[in-house]
Amino acid sequence: MTAFIQSYLGTGFGWFVAHLIYILVIALPLLLAVAMIIYTDRKIWAAMALRRGPNVVGPLGLLQSFADGLKVFLQETIIPSAANKGLFLLAPVITFTVALMAWAVIPFSAGLVLADINVGLLYILAISSLGVYGVIIAGWASNSKYPFFSAMRASAQMISYEVSMGFVLISVVLWSGSFNLSTIIETQKGYYGLLNGHGFNLLLFPMSIVFLITSMAETARTPFDLTEAESELVAGYQTEYSSMSFALFWLGEYANVLLMCTLNAILFWGGYLPPLDWAPLYYVPGILWLFAKILFFFFVFSWVKATVPRYRYDQLMRLGWKIFLPLSLIFVFLVSGFLMLTRYGGGA
């Protein structure tokens, strides 16, 4: 497609237009998916609480998210008089933009990726770590003590869990021998003869559980939603926000949740590969297998939110620093030692 457009618009401008189209092909369906998973989230919570959930706007309530979006769009944006106006408005833009940027290196199927770079996993780590800036700026620029307290909590939480998440990813990189996400998926093919996915690896399965829990903490989902603990922080760093600035935080949060569900599927459960290395299953497009796995992990996220009570802050920090960090370090040694004995013939 890029070559076709370049033949009409020239090399430089044609490349720009082609990649702009690629970006829109990813970003627009992603925004639609965010709207629908908000609806799905609410439906799952309602079912687990024996309620109906959204069921009025549109057939089966499917248009509820769009009605909510229209409502916040029509509201007035209120900026506190003592707030730093520029930073106050910049914070939700940073959060939303960073949440979309990470999708540039996600392989939706074999060869179907916007930027198939060799350091894709490092890119995602770098981009996801930038999300803390939106939170910190939002809490500080509001010039209100409760949003500031929440921003401090959020930054400490995100940094704490990024450390153990990094060591979990080291185990995956050691096993696959690459930072490229497509390569990481392909190394999971034909595992134990029929099974596809690192999740079936006895050495990496515990890390898949740690990564799943860590991704909930990284996105501040229940039971790790201490940044929005209504009992003591009202609504966290978003307290002073309204209208579309609040909606951008909301969209960024759910885009990050979808990203973490996608990473769980890609790193440990075969990504776009079918669950079994069996020829008839490959007739199903890889993107459908990836979507099915994303939906499964999103259901797990919603299930946990509907059923698990919130942690105390000291419990959250203890889990990250005293349990997950040592555990992930131990598995780095186990995986590297196993590979030295088997794959590399025990050479030093």
Side-chain angles (χ1 to χ4, degrees):
M1 179 178 173
T2 302
F4 175 76
I5 295 177
Q6 285 177 327
S7 65
Y8 286 94
L9 301 178
T11 304
F13 187 64
W15 181 92
F16 172 78
V17 171
H19 282 74
L20 181 61
I21 293 173
Y22 293 151
I23 291 169
L24 292 176
V25 166
I26 294 174
L28 295 181
L30 177 61
L31 294 177
L32 178 62
V34 167
M36 297 315 298
I37 66 164
I38 293 175
Y39 164 81
T40 305
D41 218 6
R42 296 171 67 179
K43 277 296 204 182
I44 293 172
W45 302 340
M48 292 191 176
L50 299 180
R51 295 184 288 107
R52 291 184 181 275
N55 65 341
V56 175
V57 185
L60 303 175
L62 287 171
L63 300 180
Q64 182 65 55
S65 294
F66 301 99
D68 293 338
L70 179 63
K71 180 185 73 173
V72 295
F73 180 75
L74 296 176
Q75 287 177 341
E76 179 185 1
T77 299
I78 299 172
I79 302 175
S81 57
N84 185 315
K85 183 176 180 180
L87 292 178
F88 185 83
L89 295 176
L90 180 63
V93 175
I94 292 175
T95 300
F96 178 69
T97 305
V98 166
L100 294 183
M101 288 171 63
W103 289 87
V105 296
I106 297 295
F108 295 95
S109 189
L112 188 60
V113 54
L114 178 61
D116 194 22
I117 57 178
N118 289 331
V119 289
L121 197 55
L122 286 179
Y123 171 83
I124 287 180
L125 275 176
I127 290 297
S128 62
S129 64
L130 291 176
V132 71
Y133 287 101
V135 174
I136 286 289
I137 292 172
W140 184 84
S142 301
N143 199 23
S144 175
K145 61 182 180 180
Y146 289 117
F148 185 69
F149 290 158
S150 173
M152 292 297 100
R153 278 187 176 186
S155 60
Q157 177 174 332
M158 293 171 77
I159 292 169
S160 298
Y161 280 84
E162 278 174 3
V163 174
S164 56
M165 180 182 287
F167 284 112
V168 170
L169 297 181
I170 287 175
S171 298
V172 176
V173 170
L174 285 171
W175 193 271
S176 61
S178 175
F179 284 98
N180 182 283
L181 291 176
S182 298
T183 304
I184 289 173
I185 291 175
E186 291 299 326
T187 58
Q188 302 175 51
K189 191 173 183 179
Y191 220 70
Y192 296 125
L194 276 180
L195 300 176
N196 283 335
H198 279 160
F200 306 107
N201 184 331
L202 295 179
L203 273 176
L204 292 182
F205 177 73
M207 290 297 93
S208 69
I209 303 300
V210 171
F211 188 83
L212 176 61
I213 299 172
T214 302
S215 59
M216 293 179 187
E218 186 69 13
T219 53
R221 292 277 292 190
T222 305
F224 307 106
D225 57 338
L226 273 300
T227 60
E228 301 172 1
E230 297 89 348
S231 57
E232 67 266 27
L233 291 178
V234 189
Y237 56 88
Q238 307 168 21
T239 300
E240 303 293 346
Y241 283 89
S242 59
S243 185
M244 280 306 294
S245 55
F246 177 81
L248 287 178
F249 276 121
W250 199 244
L251 290 172
E253 177 183 334
Y254 273 91
N256 279 325
V257 169
L258 269 183
L259 176 65
M260 287 300 172
C261 293
T262 306
L263 287 178
N264 273 282
I266 286 175
L267 297 175
F268 296 100
W269 299 97
Y272 53 74
L273 297 175
L276 297 176
D277 191 19
W278 185 41
L281 295 179
Y282 286 94
Y283 289 110
V284 178
I287 192 170
L288 296 183
W289 287 117
L290 179 62
F291 284 170
K293 295 172 185 178
I294 292 172
L295 290 176
F296 169 77
F297 282 109
F298 184 74
F299 172 76
V300 173
F301 271 62
S302 296
W303 184 7
V304 170
K305 183 163 186 173
T307 55
V308 179
R310 179 182 293 135
Y311 271 36
R312 292 197 316 268
Y313 196 71
D314 63 304
Q315 293 174 326
L316 178 138
M317 287 292 127
R318 184 179 69 231
L319 181 67
W321 289 107
K322 294 185 178 182
I323 299 176
F324 283 173
L325 179 58
L327 188 62
S328 57
L329 273 171
I330 289 170
F331 272 85
V332 168
F333 284 107
L334 289 176
V335 171
S336 57
F338 179 79
L339 291 176
M340 288 298 294
L341 290 173
T342 57
R343 185 180 300 176
Y344 303 110

